[in-house]
Amino acid sequence: MTDYSKETVASLARKLANGEASSVEIVKSSIERIKKVDPQVRAFLRVEENDALESAVMADKRLASGERGPLLGVPLAIKDNIVVENRITTCASRILENFKAPYSATVIKKLRAAGAVILGKTNMDEFAMGSSTENSAYGPTRNPWDTKAVPGGSSGGSAAAVAAGYCPASLGSDTGGSIRQPASLCGVVGLKPTYGRVSRFGLVAFASSLDQIGPFGRTVEDAALLMNAIGGYDPMDSTSVNMPLPDFSDSLKKDIKGLVVGLPKEYFIEGIDPEVQKVVRDAADRLAKEGARIEEISLPHTEYAISVYYVLATAEASSNLERYDGVRYGYRSKNGADLSSMYTHTRTEGFGAEVKRRIMLGTYALSSGYYDAYYLKAQKVRTLIVNDFKDAFKKCRIILTPTAPTPAFDIGEKANNPLQMYLSDIFTISTNLAGVPGISIPGGFSSGGRPIGVQMMAGHFDEDSLFAAAAAYERLRDTSIAHRSPNL
Amino acid sequence: MLTTEEVLKVAQLANLRIPDGELAAMSAGLSDILKHIGQLDKLDTSSIPPTSHVLEMGNVFREDVVTSLFGHEVTMDNAPAQMHGYFSVPRIIE
């Protein structure tokens, strides 16, 4: 069977368009690779083999009738917090173990209309709460580059599925770095779009003012192709923004001469791994050689971002997760003689430790007597962080930073220290608080062979500049990076 | 530092039960994070407005038209317990 594990969305689309391969062949090869390799990696929670092959047959028919499209017949993986009609969606939680979604997310409808083939659902930290995919009720996912290491999280399964070569691209969600941090740790591209750019309809809510769906891919081009397909206004999501969606393929070839790239001094601090620091400095040098202007900038409230996030995200989560009460869907405990104790038993048995910790923290922050001190205070500091970005984007078009302070850490290394785990999102969280887009692009490897990502951010709805700068960096970086793949 | 009583109070508000054996760990974990969050007090925010939403958008309106995304039966398919087409729950009042 032909090996398609190193293909991109764009290269598969070309092969499908000129008849070199059929969607059924590609999808069969994907499924075979998952069966062979995934017992080591465990990126998938469920592979929907029959569904996928059915979609592939449909795609081949559409191709045969002359239809062409960048995603037509291409296999993708979906994070298990995005609903697909009539299929199980668990959010990697026991409380949704048997939940069969009654409808499809808008992004799923759009992908299906474009002819993409959905292979199945990927592992994640329970309800997207975590940075390592160790908080899954169904066991951790491992990093394809080193199975002793975490893949990052919370979209660790979707990042690992691409890194392991099961499919060229996938979807994740990003509330505080949950796409970009695993992309960095798994050596793939990951994009969090501007808040409001992609419909959240059908994304199981964690923190509604921060959540965004976004793509993983092996290349910046593939991320752009997926964004073209999933982006745009959706009346079903009242926070989605009604503005035209440009063709992001056009952004990729744009010249970066004269582009002002800001390096925020607060992101180059003690505690960041020297190898990570070196990769980002090198990225700045390469962009400068190509004509970009590198400027030191300041995002003065960076150090407060984690605190703001862990008040606001947990407060929103404590409200959003109230719905899991064992009445209308999901797990119901057999313990508890009356309604109120049934609720408590259901939630206590159904949620994992980290989810409970965050519900507790959010409930505390919202509780009478503490609201002003925590929730309102955090909302005010959020304003300061938003203003930091507004000021910064008056001076530069792109902000360049590390994605994560370190390469992938070992499984178990931070599992018993929640605060340490939270700090691994230190460079990604501000982006969500400000609602701006951010992308992680592979930039190098640690001496231990673990991937290191470079993060770029842009102003609201300026994915155009973001893709231009990211694609330029991808062309300018050490060419050996694109040729390395995990040894699985 | 969150006391055991405070942890129990919050757990009750959140409809969660923290077993006695896990109380100390929960209290320590939350206290650690709250201590870190305490750094926000360093900032004077008395004249700063709060941000609840990053994009400047107001309320979103639409015509009040009844639509059905999926039917009653599909909705009930996921019910842990049902009776005569209604969700069934344990006894509420004696």
Side-chain angles (χ1 to χ4, degrees):
Chain A
M1 196 174 267
T2 315
D3 177 21
Y4 296 104
S5 66
K6 292 184 178 65
E7 300 289 341
T8 64
V9 170
S11 72
L12 284 180
R14 274 193 298 275
K15 285 193 160 78
L16 287 159
N18 65 25
E20 252 181 89
S22 72
S23 180
V24 168
E25 280 162 21
I26 293 167
V27 169
K28 277 187 174 162
S29 156
S30 278
I31 290 167
E32 184 153 310
R33 185 164 173 84
I34 294 166
K35 283 182 180 161
K36 194 174 124 221
V37 176
D38 212 38
Q40 293 173 66
V41 177
R42 306 174 68 107
F44 275 93
L45 287 175
R46 259 157 282 108
V47 177
E48 303 278 4
E49 191 170 339
N50 294 339
D51 263 15
L53 284 170
E54 236 171 74
S55 306
V57 169
M58 291 266 291
D60 282 334
K61 276 186 192 150
R62 286 166 68 175
L63 282 155
S65 73
E67 191 181 336
R68 296 290 178 265
L71 300 180
L72 184 54
V74 175
L76 303 174
I78 307 292
K79 186 178 182 179
D80 203 27
N81 60 350
I82 299 171
V83 297
V84 177
E85 186 176 348
N86 221 11
R87 293 285 166 257
I88 302 286
T89 294
T90 67
C91 293
S93 180
R94 289 280 172 221
I95 213 156
L96 284 176
E97 194 162 10
N98 298 310
F99 175 69
K100 198 186 268 186
Y103 67 98
S104 282
T106 299
V107 292
I108 297 296
K109 285 189 181 151
K110 288 186 174 206
L111 288 178
R112 289 224 200 265
V117 175
I118 292 162
L119 289 173
K121 306 296 283 295
T122 56
N123 200 11
M124 54 187 281
D125 287 296
E126 185 178 356
F127 285 105
M129 296 178 187
S131 310
S132 68
T133 316
E134 289 168 292
N135 296 336
S136 167
Y138 306 99
T141 296
R142 291 167 183 277
N143 193 311
W145 294 89
D146 182 343
T147 52
K148 287 191 302 296
V150 301
S154 68
S155 314
S158 284
V162 174
Y166 306 151
C167 47
S170 60
L171 289 189
S173 68
D174 190 315
T175 306
S178 281
I179 291 174
R180 292 158 289 151
Q181 186 257 19
S184 177
L185 272 48
C186 287
V188 298
V189 174
L191 169 79
K192 182 202 90 73
T194 307
Y195 184 81
R197 183 64 108 175
V198 177
S199 169
R200 291 184 295 112
F201 182 66
L203 170 68
V204 179
F206 160 16
S208 309
S209 81
L210 304 164
D211 298 339
Q212 265 296 282
I213 294 174
F216 289 95
R218 221 163 266 135
T219 62
V220 175
E221 181 185 16
D222 284 4
L225 293 173
L226 256 78
M227 267 307 288
N228 283 345
I230 64 172
Y233 173 64
D234 176 17
M236 298 301 278
D237 171 6
S238 58
T239 60
S240 103
V241 173
N242 196 352
M243 64 190 295
L245 189 73
D247 180 348
F248 294 119
S249 316
D250 295 340
S251 314
L252 305 169
K253 299 243 161 59
K254 283 194 179 157
D255 199 352
I256 58 156
K257 267 191 193 66
L259 182 79
V260 185
V261 176
L263 292 181
K265 59 176 191 235
E266 293 82 4
Y267 282 60
F268 296 88
I269 42 160
E270 233 176 285
I272 136 168
D273 187 291
E275 288 182 312
V276 171
Q277 180 135 208
K278 195 165 152 257
V279 167
V280 182
R281 297 274 183 202
D282 171 70
D285 291 345
R286 286 172 195 259
L287 293 169
K289 267 188 209 138
E290 198 64 15
R293 222 172 74 217
I294 309 295
E295 302 261 344
E296 188 183 271
I297 58 158
S298 175
L299 295 165
H301 298 93
T302 299
E303 64 169 302
Y304 301 102
I306 298 250
S307 295
V308 171
Y309 177 86
Y310 278 97
V311 175
L312 299 183
T314 59
E316 292 185 30
S318 80
S319 304
N320 274 328
L321 273 63
E322 272 179 56
R323 68 191 67 170
Y324 303 102
D325 57 6
V327 174
R328 289 152 303 145
Y329 49 81
Y331 172 78
R332 175 188 290 191
S333 171
K334 293 191 172 56
N335 301 312
D338 58 26
L339 186 64
S340 157
S341 74
M342 185 279 280
Y343 289 156
T344 302
H345 281 286
T346 293
R347 293 165 60 81
T348 302
E349 292 160 28
F351 289 135
E354 179 61 23
V355 174
K356 283 182 206 165
R357 179 161 36 235
R358 295 206 197 186
I359 291 174
M360 293 283 289
L361 189 58
T363 306
Y364 180 73
L366 289 174
S367 65
S368 151
Y370 298 99
Y371 181 91
D372 285 2
Y374 289 104
Y375 188 70
L376 189 62
K377 181 82 186 182
Q379 281 192 313
K380 289 179 166 192
V381 181
R382 185 176 186 181
T383 305
L384 297 173
I385 291 169
V386 170
N387 291 343
D388 280 359
F389 277 90
K390 276 188 190 153
D391 292 342
F393 285 122
K394 282 178 197 150
K395 298 189 184 100
C396 64
R397 200 71 189 249
I398 293 289
I399 296 174
L400 174 69
T401 74
T403 309
T406 64
F409 43 92
D410 284 345
I411 289 178
E413 193 179 324
K414 297 184 182 180
N416 296 319
N417 191 334
L419 187 57
Q420 271 307 310
M421 185 72 90
Y422 294 176
L423 291 172
S424 67
D425 292 333
I426 190 159
F427 298 139
T428 47
I429 270 179
S430 304
T431 321
N432 300 77
L433 293 171
V436 299
I439 191 168
S440 181
I441 314 115
F445 288 86
S446 71
S447 46
R450 295 181 183 181
I452 294 171
V454 168
Q455 178 176 234
M456 293 179 183
M457 314 170 203
H460 286 144
F461 299 102
D462 194 13
E463 280 87 357
D464 179 44
S465 298
L466 196 60
F467 277 125
Y473 172 60
E474 193 179 46
R475 287 192 296 273
L476 297 166
R477 72 182 174 187
D478 180 349
T479 50
S480 70
I481 293 167
H483 300 294
R484 281 175 76 161
S485 51
N487 189 16
L488 288 164
Chain B
M1 188 73 195
L2 230 56
T3 63
T4 308
E5 288 71 39
E6 283 173 305
V7 172
L8 288 170
K9 169 85 192 308
V10 177
Q12 191 195 356
L13 290 172
N15 274 318
L16 291 169
R17 200 174 61 85
I18 312 295
D20 291 347
E22 292 170 24
L23 269 175
M26 179 62 84
S27 148
L30 291 177
S31 298
D32 247 17
I33 298 159
L34 288 171
K35 197 174 140 212
H36 185 85
I37 290 169
Q39 65 160 191
L40 296 180
D41 293 339
K42 281 194 285 179
L43 293 168
D44 176 10
T45 51
S46 48
S47 61
I48 309 292
T51 295
S52 56
H53 194 275
V54 282
L55 304 174
E56 280 154 27
M57 58 197 313
N59 281 331
V60 178
F61 295 102
R62 63 165 171 77
E63 289 305 311
D64 187 15
V65 181
V66 178
T67 55
S68 175
L69 195 61
F70 43 83
H72 179 256
E73 254 175 59
V74 176
T75 305
M76 298 309 292
D77 270 355
N78 274 304
Q82 54 177 302
M83 203 181 279
H84 312 306
Y86 294 96
F87 297 111
S88 139
V89 295
R91 187 174 67 229
I92 298 172
I93 36 175
E94 293 287 337

